[in-house]
Every structure is written in C-alpha cells, then in structure tokens.
Amino acid sequence: MCLPQRSLGHLRLLQNRDAPQGDPNSDVSFPCIPGSMIRGVLISRYLQDRGLRSTDDILDTSKFPEVQRLFFDGSTRYLNAYLYSNDQEKRTLPVPRSWLKKKGDEATDSKDLSIYDFSWEQPNQDISYKSLNESFCTVDDEDVVLYKEKRRINIHNMRDRKKGRGTDDNGAVFRYDALDAGQTFQGVILCDNADDVAKIKPLLELKDIFLGGSRKAGYGHTTIEIIPNKEDINWHEVETPLEDREDRELLRITLLSDLILRDRCGQYVAMPPIQLITDEGEREIDPLTQLLEQLLDVKLEPQSSFTSSIVVGGFNRKWGLPLPQVPALAAGSVFIFNYQGELNIDRIRTLENQGIGERRVDGFGRLAVNWLEEYPKFTASLLKSEVDLTHQPNLTPNSEDSQIAAKMAKRLLEQKLDKQLLDKVHRWTLEPNKLSNSQLSRLIIMARQALTEESKSPVINLVENLPKNANSQFEDTKVNGKPFKKQICEWLNEPNSWIDSQHLEINIAGESVTSNLVEKLKLDYTLRLIIAIAKKANKENKNE
C-alpha cells in the first residue's frame, strides 16, 4: 500500500549575486545544494524559535516528541536542490549515465547534441563515446534540454591576523571553485505526516539564509521562496505517469541522487548489481538487487549497468567535525534488470516516494523506475543557467593578486593540454613503422632543440631536407592514417589540427592566458607530442 505523502511545496533557493555558494570540506563545491544543508538550517531555526540551545538533547522523545519525525527518522525528507528551469518552470534532474555522446561533439547555444542511450541499444560503430559534460536535464518525451551549473573561481590569500597581510609563515594562496551567484535551485521537502507541513512552513518564512562554509568571507547568502504545490499528495520527481511505466519488458532503475548501501556484513558498498553463484551452487544477491526484490516483490536478474561511484561525506555543525566519508553510487546511475513477476503501481509509488538506502532524510537514495522512453538516439539542446555575469572581481593590473591569477590560469591551461597530449599519445601509434632507431633519435634531438629555441624550424628543416633513404622511411611510416612526414608538418603549421581549442579558454578572477602565450604553449605541446610518439616507436623497436 502506498503511504500517504504530502509535499511541503517546492523550495526555490536563489543565490545572492555577491555571495556564491561554498563547500566547507573542499575547494570545489557540489553542483547542487545538498538536502543536508537545508535540513541543518531548519534545525537551527527550530531551536531558535523554541528558545533551545545546541547543547540541549532534542532527541529526547519524552520532551520533544516531534523532533525525530521532523528531522531524523526519514518521515520528513529534504531532497537536494537541483537547478531550476525557468523556461519549463520545473526542477531539473541528474543526467543519466547511460547517455553518451561521440567524442569531440559538444552542444552549443546554436547546435544540438546527438545523444545515444546505451541502456536501450549500443551502437556497433567503431567510434569513441564519452559521458556528457552537463550535470542536469529536463525530459519531456523525446524533448531533452541539458543544463550546466555556472561556477566561479575565487582566489584567497591567508593573512596574518595582526599584520593584516600574508607572511612567510602564514600566507598561503588558495582558491574556491564555487557555484556562481544569481542561479536558482529547486528543492522539495516531503512529509509523510500531513500535520508536519504546518510545523515546517514557518521555519521557511525568513527568506535569507546562509549555506555552506566560509560564510564570513561572503559565501553562501541565499534567499528562499516557497512555491505552492498544486498536487501535494503523491508527488513524483519524474513526470512520466506510473501507468506508462509498469508494463515494460525490462526494469530500468535510474538514481536521482547518490545512493548509500551496506552489504550483509555491514560494510558500505558502491558496486553495480551482479549475480554470483557460490561454490555450493546457491544464488548470491548483491545489496541493491536484494533490496529492490523485497520492495517490488519481483525476482530480478541484473543485465547491465551504467554507473560511477563517489565518496560522500558532510559536516556536522554541532560537532564542528566532518561526517565519516563513505562510498556511494553516484546520481544518474542506471541499472537494467530482467524481472519475473508483475510490477505493482502502488509498490513503485512507495519505492519512489520513500527512496532506499541510508541518509534518506538528507535526500539520498532517490530513484525512478522505468523513467525514460525507448529512444536509443535523440538530440538535446543546451540551456546554460541564467546568471548575472555583470559582476566581476576587480583586480588591480600588475598587482600581486593579478599575477597569481594569471599563473593559476596558465597552470590550468597546461593541465588541459597535458590531458590532451596523453590521450593522443595513447591512441596514436606509428603503423607501419619503417623508421630506424637512428632516424627516430635524430627526430627527438631536433624536437628538443626546437623546444629550447622556441621555434619549429629545426624540425621543419629536418623533415624537408632528408636524404632519399630517410625520406622514404618517413613517407612509408604512417600515423593517424597519414605519412609521418606530412603529419609532422601539419601539426607544426596548424597545432589546432590535434588540439581541441574549444576548451582552452581559462579565466580566473578576470585574468586569462594571453594569446601569445597560448600559441607558444601549443607549439611546445606539439613538439612534445612528436617526441613522445618517436620515443614510443623507439621503445617498440627495441622490444621486437
């Protein structure tokens, strides 16, 4: 039977333009506002309204009979606040991890993106696929819109309290990768007891709240707006009617938030569903499959999964300590099962309403059953979060802060180029390799000389003035389907032929890498690519 459930209405959280959200445990914030933060704020307001102190034992049910139900036992659940779609006027959901795109494809404001849902069909083409960069989406049948939260990187200097400036002993430089200001997120508070709605609503009347860490540094100023829920009974996170989801050939489970599970030994596990057969021939079931079988009253056989594991933690402001970090299955994970039996609408409704696993009160363990329709391939448009970009940090030109920001931008650019270089070296091999080790060594020496001189001339002069025998070796050797000699000249004359320049724009606190430095780095990394491929071929020759 489905438990009666009421939604307190939707909670919209708008970040103050001058105070972006911070993460107290890391320099990189979450892509959403966790339900645990919202719950913590309401607990603090509950104590203030009743004149209680944080040291009071509010878990004493004889004195505070409603506290357990409102904040701790899962009867009231505080769902994560995800990006809010102003166009569609609804809360977005995490992008399913079964959605992949062709490597190199990117969605823009003017170009849609082709997406392949591997949970329905896996293309046979010999093409590399990768996960989507966007975090959230809205789905309306075959109409899919992708959303990406906007972030801002802020630089901070640790200062000596007495001197008011950084010193040799106390002058570290650090940065916060925080959610940008001006974005709107929508969360939901679910109450099993209808009477609890009237008790929680007054806690939300004061619109200004502060979330996350570094509040004294201007982070976390947020405003709340309660949106009345027209359908407050049996609210669902996904809009696909239950009647359209109960009669499917396969059972597909999509996680709408992170999921924390324990195995039968009490250990935290973050593994996809698998079916094991013991030495005695008995069927051993993983924790997720076992839990779903109990709640849906069907027998399940895992088929495939598209998942990722993460480590989740938190911060207890009363303790002043971080929560223990445990592994969890990431939001957006998709699990496909064969099932025997009949899916019951009431059981599906209860499963989606209550969630599964631990910390359900903080919005963990949310899921959807047979959410997505059968569309193996579809297109999606990109809608970036609407953010006021007029606010920019003001750094004095040529100041110490601006120089630090420029150095950080350069290092981030080098990290991106390093990643692209490693990817190309791993994928590209000289096939066939007709070059002798002496020719490869000569090429490496000239490339190193070019790095020192910051000029491509030594390598260009080498390949354009080769003796007849050496020239034939370079012509007969292929890389990426082209003669190695031709490919070297193409890389050096046009580095963008192998470098993905779309993702090389770095801006930190208004400071970016100059165009001259970008071109210099492109040449440096092109020469390093030639050296790496030549070294790889040299090593393969020695192993033969």
Side-chain angles (χ1 to χ4, degrees), residues 397-408:
N398 299 321
S399 65
E400 182 181 356
D401 288 342
S402 67
Q403 292 175 10
I404 291 172
K407 287 181 181 179
M408 296 182 71

Side-chain angles (χ1 to χ4, degrees), residues 51 94 143 171 200 223 428 439 498:
D143 183 17
I200 295 179
T223 58
W428 289 343
Q439 294 296 336
W498 75 273

Side-chain angles (χ1 to χ4, degrees), residues 301-443:
E301 180 182 347
Q303 292 298 302
S304 59
S305 60
F306 303 87
T307 183
S308 178
S309 61
I310 62 171
V311 175
V312 299
F315 192 84
N316 189 307
R317 298 192 66 85
K318 181 176 180 179
W319 299 346
L321 294 171
L323 297 177
Q325 295 186 339
V326 299
L329 292 169
S333 297
V334 179
F335 311 103
I336 298 96
F337 300 89
N338 273 328
Y339 68 95
Q340 297 179 8
E342 293 185 2
L343 294 176
N344 182 274
I345 289 182
D346 287 340
R347 287 184 175 274
I348 294 176
R349 183 182 292 113
T350 301
L351 176 63
E352 293 184 346
N353 286 345
Q354 298 295 313
I356 60 175
E358 297 192 0
R359 293 184 62 181
R360 293 184 301 112
V361 67
D362 290 330
F364 286 82
R366 307 300 302 175
L367 53 81
V369 177
N370 292 335
W371 170 29
L372 302 173
E373 300 290 342
E374 185 175 0
Y375 296 115
K377 179 183 177 181
F378 54 92
T379 59
S381 57
L382 174 66
L383 183 64
K384 295 183 179 179
S385 57
E386 299 177 5
V387 180
D388 182 3
L389 298 178
T390 58
H391 174 69
Q392 294 287 344
N394 297 318
L395 297 182
T396 305
N398 299 321
S399 65
E400 182 181 356
D401 288 342
S402 67
Q403 292 175 10
I404 291 172
K407 287 181 181 179
M408 296 182 71
K410 179 176 178 289
R411 290 175 182 174
L412 286 174
L413 176 59
E414 289 174 340
Q415 288 179 8
K416 291 191 173 186
L417 288 171
D418 282 334
K419 187 176 180 180
Q420 292 192 35
L421 175 64
L422 290 173
D423 177 65
K424 295 299 188 293
V425 172
H426 177 72
R427 290 169 52 197
W428 289 343
T429 305
L430 299 183
E431 293 180 344
N433 180 15
K434 302 295 184 180
L435 289 170
S436 62
N437 285 347
S438 60
Q439 294 296 336
L440 290 170
S441 298
R442 188 180 177 195
L443 176 62

Side-chain angles (χ1 to χ4, degrees), residues 170-343:
N170 191 14
V173 177
F174 59 98
R175 64 173 188 163
Y176 284 153
D177 183 352
L179 291 175
D180 204 353
Q183 299 179 95
T184 302
F185 296 81
Q186 185 179 41
V188 178
I189 301 176
L190 299 177
C191 304
D192 288 343
N193 190 325
D195 296 335
D196 293 339
V197 173
K199 297 177 181 178
I200 295 179
K201 268 190 175 180
L203 303 178
L204 298 169
E205 290 178 353
L206 185 61
K207 292 188 175 182
D208 288 313
I209 62 172
F210 285 84
L211 301 173
S214 297
R215 301 177 185 181
K216 293 182 179 179
Y219 287 82
H221 187 187
T222 308
T223 58
I224 295 178
E225 175 187 350
I226 300 179
I227 306 174
N229 188 15
K230 298 176 182 178
E231 299 178 0
D232 61 342
I233 299 179
N234 298 331
W235 174 85
H236 298 285
E237 283 189 86
V238 299
E239 296 180 344
T240 308
L242 285 172
E243 293 75 13
D244 297 340
R245 296 191 272 141
E246 65 171 337
D247 189 17
R248 299 278 182 90
E249 182 178 350
L250 296 174
L251 176 67
R252 288 174 170 81
I253 302 294
T254 305
L255 296 186
L256 304 181
S257 66
D258 300 332
L259 172 61
I260 303 175
L261 289 175
R262 293 180 189 252
D263 61 15
R264 61 182 181 181
C265 299
Q267 299 295 318
Y268 289 103
V269 292
M271 57 183 292
I274 55 175
Q275 182 168 314
L276 301 175
I277 304 298
T278 64
D279 295 337
E280 292 76 18
E282 297 179 356
R283 176 172 174 253
E284 185 173 337
I285 309 176
D286 62 275
L288 177 58
T289 303
Q290 184 178 20
L291 189 57
L292 291 174
E293 284 187 343
Q294 294 174 356
L295 296 174
L296 293 175
D297 194 24
V298 293
K299 185 176 181 181
L300 301 177
E301 180 182 347
Q303 292 298 302
S304 59
S305 60
F306 303 87
T307 183
S308 178
S309 61
I310 62 171
V311 175
V312 299
F315 192 84
N316 189 307
R317 298 192 66 85
K318 181 176 180 179
W319 299 346
L321 294 171
L323 297 177
Q325 295 186 339
V326 299
L329 292 169
S333 297
V334 179
F335 311 103
I336 298 96
F337 300 89
N338 273 328
Y339 68 95
Q340 297 179 8
E342 293 185 2
L343 294 176

Side-chain angles (χ1 to χ4, degrees), residues 489-537:
C489 294
E490 182 180 321
W491 287 339
L492 290 172
N493 293 323
E494 187 54 50
N496 289 335
S497 62
W498 75 273
I499 295 176
D500 182 6
S501 300
Q502 279 187 321
H503 305 289
L504 297 185
E505 295 182 3
I506 306 292
N507 187 299
I508 296 181
E511 297 292 330
S512 59
V513 184
T514 63
S515 58
N516 290 337
L517 182 56
V518 171
E519 294 304 317
K520 178 184 177 299
L521 288 174
K522 286 182 179 179
L523 175 60
D524 289 351
Y525 276 83
T526 300
L527 293 169
R528 289 172 60 184
L529 173 67
I530 295 172
I531 293 172
I533 291 178
K535 280 186 174 182
K536 183 179 178 182

